[in-house]
Amino acid sequence: MAIIATSLPPVWSAHAHVGFFGTFKGEEKVNIKLEAEDPEGGTLTFALVAGNLPPGITLNGTTGLVVGVVPDVTRSYSFTIRALDFHNKYADAVFKMETLKFDHCSTSPCLHNGECTDTTGGFTCNCTTDYGGQKCEHVCLNNAVSIQSRSVIPDAQMTAYLTSSTYLASNGRYGASGYGWCGTSTNSWLQVDLGNMTTIYKVTTQGYYRTQYTSSYTLSYSTDGNTFHKVNDTNGNEHTFSANTAVLTYTLPTPTVARFIRFHPKSFIRLPCLKVELYGCRVYHISE
């Protein structure tokens, strides 16, 4: 009992008039060791007893480490941490952390004259016409959406109607071996789900064998997978694209925003077979 009676409370290290810690920029990583000592040389534990730490910041009561990532907001946080020794003697200290929102547009991340908008945790770029990507880094006319890559467009995102049992929709990728996808009639279609809203500028088709190929086709598009619209020419009439066994690339009459694109064979030799690729840029919104 005599030891407890003479035990002294913990002692905090000196700090500035605004409290401990100071000012931090949003998204900055912190790893701060609390500086308090037990006059008897014992081990201290720590606890938050008033106020709140900034979101994303935590206190380890055993090690006395304050760690985490500073929130991307401009705000002041005041809180009280208690240092406690083995004899339940304690000392409280008031802390203050000021956080400053980081301006993600300060480094001008948007290319090709794209307009930058700072957001919590990042930024978005409003790209000028014909450019796209998160930083407007892509020239949309030449940017393949990579249908040929299963990691970009999985098999489940390629579907078809009235398909020949041998030549499935998933075979209709540009550059694939064999015939590609083959339908059964002019009522057949091949559909690509791009996975997100994309502005389409250009289309490529490829045939395979001179006695079995599509010779012309039309396109339709949809934003929801339910309602489809025809791709029309500049006069408002349905636009027909030519195809054969060669690789043929066409620019759409007007760039088209869609998530779903359908290829509709209109004429063919023996079976309407196709391999396809599209060119364009994903549409990024402020909310993303």
Side-chain angles (χ1 to χ4, degrees), residues 200-203 219 230-241 250-256:
I200 300 300
Y201 286 76
K202 197 164 60 176
V203 60
L219 296 174
K230 297 177 181 178
V231 171
N232 294 326
D233 59 26
T234 54
N235 295 319
N237 301 314
E238 186 175 28
H239 188 77
T240 300
F241 300 82
Y250 297 99
T251 301
L252 271 61
T254 303
T256 300

Side-chain angles (χ1 to χ4, degrees), residues 33-159:
K33 174 68 174 176
L34 296 177
E35 298 182 6
E37 295 182 359
D38 179 12
E40 285 78 42
T43 300
L44 300 177
T45 58
F46 301 88
L48 181 70
V49 294
N52 294 293
L53 294 165
I57 305 295
T58 59
L59 166 65
N60 187 312
T62 301
T63 64
L65 287 174
V66 176
V67 299
V69 179
V70 176
D72 189 24
V73 295
T74 297
R75 186 174 173 183
S76 293
Y77 299 86
S78 294
F79 47 91
T80 301
I81 294 179
R82 175 168 293 172
L84 185 70
D85 69 12
F86 179 77
H87 304 297
N88 290 323
K89 294 293 183 70
Y90 65 85
D92 293 341
V94 177
F95 291 78
K96 184 176 182 180
M97 291 186 71
E98 294 179 334
T99 63
L100 299 176
K101 181 174 176 60
F102 179 72
D103 182 6
H104 298 86
C105 293
S106 62
T107 58
S108 301
C110 303
L111 305 176
H112 301 113
N113 297 316
E115 181 181 349
C116 183
T117 300
D118 186 47
T119 63
T120 300
F123 64 91
T124 59
C125 292
N126 182 19
C127 304
T128 57
T129 303
D130 299 336
Y131 291 96
Q134 288 182 301
K135 297 183 178 181
C136 307
E137 68 273 26
H138 299 309
V139 179
C140 298
L141 188 65
N142 301 319
N143 183 58
V145 301
S146 296
I147 294 174
Q148 61 182 313
S149 172
R150 281 182 164 81
S151 63
V152 177
I153 306 293
D155 286 350
Q157 289 177 212
M158 298 194 69
T159 54

